[in-house]
Amino acid sequence: MKKLFITLIFLLSANYFFAQGGMWLPNTIKGSIEKDMQRLGMKLTADDIYNTEKSSIKDAIVQFGGGCTGEVISPKGLLLTNHHCGYGAIQRLSTMENNLLKNGFWAQSFEEELPAKGLTVTFIDRIEDVTGKILGNINNDLPLNERQSLIDKNIDSLSKTTQIEDYQTVEIKPFYYGNKYYLFVKNIFKDIRLVGVAPESIGKFGADTDNWMWPRHNADFSIFRIYADKNNLPAEYSEENVPYTPKHFLPISVKEINEDDFTLVFGFPGRTQEYLPAIAVDQIANKLDPVRISIREAALNVMGKYMRNDEATRLKYASKFAGIANYWKKWIGESQGINSVHAVEKKKEFEKEFLHRLDKNPEAKAKYGHLLADFDSLYAAFEPYNIAQNAIYESFFRSIDFMRVMSYLNRLKNYYINNGAAGYDGFKARLLPYLKGMYKGMDISIDKDVFAALVKKYALESKPEFVPGSIKALKTDREFKEFANKIYNSKFTDYDSLVSIIDTTDIDWAISVFEQEPGFEFAKEINEISDTKVSPNYNELSAKINDLQKEYMKALMEMFPEKSFFPDANSTLRITYGQVKGYHPRDAVYYEPVSHIEGVIEKYKPGDYEFDLPQKFLDIYKSKDFGNYTDKTGSVPACFIATNHTTGGNSGSPALDAEGNLIGLNFDRVWEGTMSDLYYDPSICRNIMVDVRYILFLIDKYGNAKRLIDEMEIKK
Ligand code: ARG
Ligand code: ASP
């Protein structure tokens, strides 16, 4: 009976598994994917989405900074992205007297738009399948490293010989674990200016408490503008630059959105691992995630204690805390989600079916029969190194600023050893501004307490061979505190003193000062353990696993010819599509797909750091001055959810309707579906978007920036 039940679940989910979810390269959707999109209601064709002969929707999509997405929403290069994506740039433009994050900012003219130095946005000019050129001369019988170096050589020479304009760059990336290669020609714009943003109490409303959760009520958006030179080409910042005229911009629809409506999300998803064997998913969700979660929790506990006791500390640590908390919470959701949908069991059932198909095909079995058993033994060998590699990073570097400083000093020293004074000075010039910001955001006594807590945890919970000698004998809180005191008794606990040592022409002297630092020694000790006992094994086994995964991917595609396989996300341009849909997170509970401004007011908590609101917002709400940004309920829709398969990097991605109009701005996923990076389950995986009407409402009524709305093409 039980077996029958599991098989039934498997059959149902297997169908689902491949019928929904997925993130596709836009140049590969013509045909079956296009048809499936049209079946769900899309009125566009593949050519409307991606075309290199004429303008298409892809010409409105950019990679924003390193890790987010943005989209052009006016003929004058107006750019929309998330609040949390613009955050760093806005923070850098803020001062104590003029805190743009806190107060919001609305440029009332082009002249008032603020250059965000260092920020870039990247358009994809074209995508080419170059698999033949990269793999054509590769003999699969060669050893792994020889094969890889030949591939690298091919990539290098093709990158250099590809015809591009002088403002363009080329990137070639592996897909399907190296079974395919695609080339991307990119246009990178470098003069990006801040145009508008609501106060963070509105943009980040709900902060960490609401993060990764539905229902949601934050207006996670910020507005920038792309500037170009007088030929409309990318250029460094200059007063002479003018607003960029895009090849395409997204019209905006304020029409009704209904459950089951088609949606399309276009952006740059960072990383997924949808084709791992069951044993790998089990290792991540049940071994690795718990370790990473508990280390971050220990760091958050210390920081949280200080933040609760002191308002200035809370402000100073808010962003650091949020950064650590984001994936802490994600991993909890992921680990729970994998177990609650029985993803490991379902993957095992799927693997049984794979073996069953091999049994019927002796030739395939000879090729692929070894795969799953090899995975088992490789992952078993990999586990301790996988955990140690992550634990070292999380325990010593991720959350401890002072240790990061120490490892930067080590890199500085290496630059000197390898490239002489020029190497040292070059790295120093990049390092100092970065460290200046870092020290500004650090409280050395909190940092020391986090250090003591994490070092203790690491020393007591790790395999003895991975524990540095200097902390092996320590046991009690007091001993770890004393150790921390020793490390933090340092010349590098404040920025000015650091500069007085680093910023010198007597580099040998500076390095001798580094070397007298107990923290520098400790970082070296950790790196030595990592370099001798962890990384070599980790790297070797990862390479073998990857190679096996490449073969497995190929095998899956051969053995399941009836399925379409999308390539895992790798920070390249993708589309994902689905429908507006609520979901049942658990028995007797149903979540509706749309939230409203009433919910913002319901959650409002005066004085609370996550749920407070500006008086102006409350006043507008009271006056019910909603303009025509309402839906059929008469209220302003805030956020909505749909079945689009998204991941980190999709933040800021546009959600489009069946005709290609902007209806929402992607920014997150729901709690029960955070495991979608490993296993997408269409019954509970949902992406979360801000409704574009909430964005327009805030621009117009809160920001009084009607001039921006006048630039846009609004479809009523
Ligand atoms: N969870 C979303 C994403 O991963 C939003 C993160 C915004 N940061 C935060 N700590 N609330 O990026
Ligand atoms: N919040 C994520 C981002 O910043 C999106 C996600 O993980 O769903 O890209």
Side-chain angles (χ1 to χ4, degrees), residues 84 212 646-651 666-669:
H84 77 264
W212 300 110
T646 54
T647 185
N650 268 124
S651 274
N666 182 74
F667 69 99
D668 210 358
R669 281 171 280 165

Side-chain angles (χ1 to χ4, degrees), residues 452-480:
L454 297 198
V455 170
K456 176 177 174 215
K457 196 168 160 45
Y458 183 88
L460 301 185
E461 293 175 17
S462 304
K463 282 190 184 283
E465 71 251 46
F466 300 142
V467 177
S470 59
I471 53 171
K472 261 207 164 98
L474 310 185
K475 289 275 167 317
T476 62
D477 274 347
R478 231 194 63 210
E479 288 166 341
F480 284 102

Side-chain angles (χ1 to χ4, degrees), residues 18 66 71 152 203 220 268 303 479 509 520 528 709 714:
F18 292 105
E71 54 276 359
D152 292 343
D220 199 339
F268 291 84
M303 291 178 187
E479 288 166 341
W509 166 79
F520 190 82
E528 244 159 47
I709 296 189
I714 310 250

Side-chain angles (χ1 to χ4, degrees), residues 234-250:
E236 296 293 338
Y237 167 80
S238 152
E239 268 181 47
E240 252 84 277
N241 287 348
V242 292
Y244 169 64
T245 307
K247 283 196 221 157
H248 182 78
F249 66 91
L250 301 176

